[in-house]
């Protein structure tokens, strides 16, 4: 999707959450929360997503598509 991952990439340092640098992240976070996507905005970092073991791949795809589409609209 072209977003910069700002959470650690090294296996020894990374956890279960992923932080993405996205322009207008605070506004995009608000829009996603309104659509029942659970995530948060971290100032200076961007969007923080934490999928769980029960999160299906298709659900991740839907959220990433929404982030992409909202980022284009907010640009």
């Amino acid at each position: 999707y072209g977003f910069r991952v700002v959470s650690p990439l090294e296996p020894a340092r990374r956890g279960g959450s992923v932080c993405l640098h996205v322009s207008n992240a605070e506004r995009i976070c608000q829009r996603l929360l309104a659509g029942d996507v659970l995530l948060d905005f971290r100032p200076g970092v961007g969007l923080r997503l934490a999928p769980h073991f029960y999160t299906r791949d298709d659900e991740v795809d839907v959220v990433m598509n929404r982030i992409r589409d909202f980022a284009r609209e907010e640009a």
Side-chain angles (χ1 to χ4, degrees), residues 10-56:
E10 303 84 12
R13 292 187 56 225
R14 80 174 164 232
S17 62
V18 175
C19 296
L20 301 175
H21 179 270
V22 179
S23 296
N24 299 310
E26 186 171 16
R27 175 75 183 125
I28 291 170
C29 182
Q30 292 170 354
R31 292 178 69 181
L32 290 165
L33 289 168
D36 291 328
V37 176
L38 299 178
L39 76 161
D40 66 355
F41 165 71
R42 299 286 170 108
V45 176
L47 300 176
R48 183 173 97 42
L49 300 114
H52 294 278
F53 69 92
Y54 52 79
T55 305
R56 298 186 323 258

